[in-house]
Amino acid sequence: MSALFQTFLEEARQLVDKKLPEYVRELEAEHRLKEAMLYSLEAGGKRVRPVLLLAVLEAYNQPILHGLDTACAIEMVHTYSLVHDDLPAMDDDDLRRGQPTNHKVFGEATAILAGDALLTQSFALIANADAPLSAKTKVSIIAALSKAAGASGMVGGQLADMFAEGKQLTVEQLANVHKRKTGELLAFSIEAGALIAGVSNEERSKLNEFGQEIGLLFQIKDDILDVEGDSIAIGKPVGSDAVNNKSTYPGLLGLDGAKTMLHTHYDRALQVLDELHLRGTLLEDLAKYIVTRDH
Amino acid sequence: MSALFQTFLEEARQLVDKKLPEYVRELEAEHRLKEAMLYSLEAGGKRVRPVLLLAVLEAYNQPILHGLDTACAIEMVHTYSLVHDDLPAMDDDDLRRGQPTNHKVFGEATAILAGDALLTQSFALIANADAPLSAKTKVSIIAALSKAAGASGMVGGQLADMFAEGKQLTVEQLANVHKRKTGELLAFSIEAGALIAGVSNEERSKLNEFGQEIGLLFQIKDDILDVEGDSIAIGKPVGSDAVNNKSTYPGLLGLDGAKTMLHTHYDRALQVLDELHLRGTLLEDLAKYIVTRDH
């Protein structure tokens, strides 16, 4: 990891880590509800989505503070999805990143409501953003976020993923489920950065392609880590996908096949950056980071 | 009910009933998820919130079609809240308006996701509204909706309501819980109408006061209907609040005391309309309708 990228990553994470809980603390709401929201927001996420958005601004020489509200909004949406996905009626997970899941600590009812509140609050963050975003930009961001996070994106992807358990999917079907479950929100992080940076339509469309590749890379790498990662680093038992009968890239293609696919899409991501004249920027470092991370 | 109001009510409901499912049908998403969303959207609600919004436009001689997207968005938010509130971990209700609740038909996981998708979609409706709403108006509507529906409004109110079960509340505490659980979204319906109609800040603040009174009237009347309503008309057993150990206005004030409170706030609502020079408009009919309805 280059020193510059390391510094950016730390700075961006610190900004998000500091700002994110403030949006919750300032709410006039039950202590219990706020605690449940904060518990999952502060559970040590890697902040990949906010970092992606801020990296787009940095790559286009825009102040990253202009994207901080929106970056935090994305992290809230991501966090709400984890809280709901972990519920007994859904994936029924007791641990997340090595810690008890939200409903294990606060009970199911509060976990459902904390998720609802995080999702609702994310739209407030964008609407009330005091960065110099025009109303038009805010509306575009909200339209794109609700699409990426809703029935045709993340929520639908979670449903498809749940009902696919125990079924043998093709690689195309698996890619489609993941595109919606995790890819769309990752791609939206890039898109939001593009909207805030005010890039041309042509660049936005290319950046969107880069975002789609990043989403795919993220998932293939996650599946590979589930096979050969360190259980402490990844915060869950190695091999849990196989135990849960989940279709994965290594399961369908073999470990070597999944790694080949990872590198094919990594090359494609770099090629898109080339076309955008953004090779050598933080976006390249980020793509590399996603592909080489150990958790 | 005046013939004019009757006609308006029917027309407004028909517009909403026709438009609401279209936003779901056009989504590229799992059939099962869309069916679950449609099931609760089409479960025969009274469309009170959309009607309130459209009545504000009518009272200010604005085309009601300008508010249709936002009106449908509010109904989606209301519907998602019912789906989540009915869940086993929350109020654990098997019936809603005399029909099996969403999770009874589709299972808990799908019900949770259908609720999440409805909430997310509501923001898409406003952001993508093709009525001649400016981006600035859309942002104001989204900011107000996320406040009314979030931790400091509806979601927090539901948590407070759940944890108040079995406890003896004061009238003030009860009013505060209901203000958040149901009042804020009803008041938002009026506020959204004011934002779309583009009324002055002074009028908006008065309309907001009217909205708060409407929210209160709605809840007091609901509690009264639970004691003396017709179980078929209200779609649940009469007396279920008492069985569930819920604090209610009749429980705290007696039935006569609750009726006196209803009429005091009805008078106050009419006084606010007087100050707005909106006596004799549909808003007066609506207030009267809320107070005299039998379900």
Side-chain angles (χ1 to χ4, degrees):
Chain A
M1 228 188 292
S2 77
L4 194 69
F5 176 63
Q6 181 75 45
T7 307
F8 171 79
L9 200 61
E10 275 170 24
E11 191 196 341
R13 279 180 178 155
Q14 274 171 19
L15 275 172
V16 172
D17 286 345
K18 184 168 179 301
K19 188 75 183 170
L20 203 46
E22 286 176 16
Y23 298 107
V24 175
R25 292 214 182 90
E26 72 192 16
L27 290 170
E28 281 181 45
E30 278 61 28
H31 181 71
R32 181 190 179 83
L33 182 60
K34 290 163 69 167
E35 284 303 301
M37 294 166 78
L38 287 168
Y39 177 78
S40 291
L41 282 177
E42 295 182 319
K46 296 182 291 293
R47 313 301 190 202
V48 171
R49 292 153 195 81
V51 166
L52 278 169
L53 187 157
L54 301 179
V56 173
L57 294 180
E58 182 81 11
Y60 282 96
N61 296 310
Q62 300 283 319
I64 64 172
L65 284 177
H66 290 189
L68 188 54
D69 295 307
T70 306
C72 289
I74 303 175
E75 191 68 9
M76 279 195 187
V77 172
H78 172 58
T79 304
Y80 119 78
S81 78
L82 300 181
V83 173
H84 280 192
D85 287 2
D86 286 339
L87 287 167
M90 308 267 272
D91 295 347
D92 194 16
D93 281 315
D94 294 350
L95 290 175
R96 161 79 58 189
R97 296 172 189 138
Q99 300 294 319
T101 45
N102 198 295
H103 64 272
K104 280 283 163 191
V105 179
F106 296 93
E108 271 183 70
T110 301
I112 293 168
L113 292 170
D116 292 344
L118 286 168
L119 173 58
T120 312
Q121 190 60 20
S122 71
F123 291 100
L125 258 58
I126 300 168
N128 297 318
D130 53 15
L133 304 187
S134 71
K136 200 161 161 254
T137 300
K138 289 179 181 181
V139 169
S140 300
I141 293 172
I142 289 165
L145 175 57
S146 51
K147 186 158 193 282
S152 56
M154 190 177 72
V155 170
Q158 167 65 6
L159 186 116
D161 190 39
M162 249 179 356
F163 286 95
E165 259 179 55
K167 283 185 197 148
Q168 179 79 14
L169 300 185
T170 64
V171 173
E172 287 69 30
Q173 287 171 327
L174 180 64
N176 188 268
V177 168
H178 284 315
K179 180 182 186 316
R180 295 170 63 209
K181 185 178 175 182
T182 57
E184 298 284 352
L185 196 63
L186 287 158
F188 166 75
S189 309
I190 303 275
E191 189 181 2
L195 286 165
I196 295 169
V199 305
S200 71
N201 282 345
E202 199 192 338
E203 282 171 307
R204 241 179 80 192
S205 146
K206 275 276 160 217
L207 276 168
N208 189 41
E209 207 182 319
F210 176 71
Q212 299 292 342
E213 294 296 337
I214 287 288
L216 196 52
L217 289 174
F218 196 84
Q219 190 59 48
I220 303 171
K221 181 67 185 186
D222 253 14
D223 284 2
I224 293 172
L225 283 172
D226 187 74
V227 177
E228 60 174 19
D230 179 285
S231 71
I232 294 170
I234 64 177
K236 62 174 184 173
V238 167
S240 64
D241 288 341
V243 171
N244 294 329
N245 246 325
K246 290 216 167 201
S247 291
T248 63
Y249 292 102
L252 293 177
L253 301 169
L255 193 53
D256 284 345
K259 285 182 182 176
T260 303
M261 188 175 170
L262 185 74
H263 286 285
T264 305
H265 284 279
Y266 179 54
D267 288 344
R268 176 68 199 136
L270 296 187
Q271 194 189 322
V272 178
L273 284 183
D274 232 3
E275 290 161 17
L276 280 159
H277 310 293
L278 290 175
R279 278 297 286 273
T281 65
L282 289 171
L283 292 176
E284 179 170 347
D285 291 312
L286 253 170
K288 191 174 175 187
Y289 163 73
I290 285 169
V291 167
T292 56
R293 71 202 157 95
D294 65 358
H295 69 288
Chain B
M1 229 189 291
S2 77
L4 193 71
F5 176 63
Q6 181 74 45
T7 307
F8 171 79
L9 201 60
E10 274 169 24
E11 192 195 340
R13 279 178 179 157
Q14 273 171 20
L15 276 173
V16 173
D17 286 345
K18 184 168 179 300
K19 188 77 183 168
L20 203 45
E22 286 176 16
Y23 298 108
V24 175
R25 291 213 184 90
E26 74 192 16
L27 290 170
E28 281 180 45
E30 277 62 27
H31 182 71
R32 181 190 179 84
L33 182 60
K34 288 163 70 166
E35 284 303 302
M37 294 166 79
L38 287 168
Y39 177 79
S40 291
L41 282 177
E42 295 183 318
K46 296 182 292 293
R47 314 300 191 201
V48 170
R49 293 154 194 80
V51 167
L52 278 169
L53 186 157
L54 301 179
V56 173
L57 295 180
E58 181 80 12
Y60 281 97
N61 296 311
Q62 300 283 320
I64 63 173
L65 284 178
H66 290 189
L68 187 55
D69 295 308
T70 306
C72 289
I74 303 176
E75 192 68 9
M76 279 196 188
V77 172
H78 172 58
T79 304
Y80 118 78
S81 78
L82 300 181
V83 173
H84 280 192
D85 287 3
D86 286 339
L87 287 167
M90 307 268 269
D91 295 347
D92 194 14
D93 281 315
D94 293 350
L95 290 175
R96 159 82 57 189
R97 296 172 190 138
Q99 301 293 320
T101 44
N102 199 294
H103 64 272
K104 281 283 163 190
V105 179
F106 297 94
E108 271 183 70
T110 301
I112 294 169
L113 291 171
D116 291 345
L118 286 168
L119 173 58
T120 311
Q121 191 59 21
S122 71
F123 291 100
L125 259 56
I126 301 168
N128 297 320
D130 54 14
L133 304 186
S134 70
K136 201 162 160 251
T137 300
K138 290 180 180 181
V139 169
S140 299
I141 292 172
I142 289 165
L145 175 58
S146 51
K147 186 158 192 284
S152 56
M154 190 177 73
V155 170
Q158 167 66 6
L159 186 116
D161 190 40
M162 248 179 356
F163 285 95
E165 259 180 55
K167 284 186 196 148
Q168 179 79 15
L169 300 184
T170 65
V171 173
E172 286 70 30
Q173 287 171 327
L174 180 64
N176 188 268
V177 168
H178 284 315
K179 179 182 186 318
R180 295 170 63 208
K181 185 178 175 183
T182 57
E184 299 282 353
L185 196 63
L186 286 158
F188 167 75
S189 308
I190 304 276
E191 188 180 2
L195 286 165
I196 295 169
V199 306
S200 70
N201 282 345
E202 200 191 338
E203 282 171 304
R204 240 179 81 191
S205 146
K206 276 275 161 217
L207 277 168
N208 190 40
E209 206 181 320
F210 175 72
Q212 299 293 340
E213 294 295 338
I214 288 287
L216 196 52
L217 288 174
F218 196 85
Q219 189 59 48
I220 303 171
K221 180 69 184 185
D222 252 14
D223 285 2
I224 292 171
L225 283 172
D226 187 75
V227 177
E228 59 173 21
D230 180 283
S231 70
I232 294 170
I234 64 177
K236 61 173 185 173
V238 166
S240 65
D241 288 341
V243 171
N244 293 329
N245 246 326
K246 289 217 169 202
S247 291
T248 65
Y249 292 102
L252 293 176
L253 301 167
L255 193 53
D256 284 347
K259 286 182 181 177
T260 302
M261 188 173 169
L262 185 74
H263 285 286
T264 305
H265 283 280
Y266 180 53
D267 289 344
R268 176 68 201 134
L270 296 188
Q271 193 188 322
V272 178
L273 284 183
D274 232 2
E275 290 162 15
L276 281 160
H277 311 292
L278 291 175
R279 278 298 283 274
T281 65
L282 288 171
L283 292 175
E284 179 170 347
D285 291 312
L286 254 171
K288 191 173 175 188
Y289 163 72
I290 285 169
V291 166
T292 56
R293 71 202 156 96
D294 66 357
H295 69 288

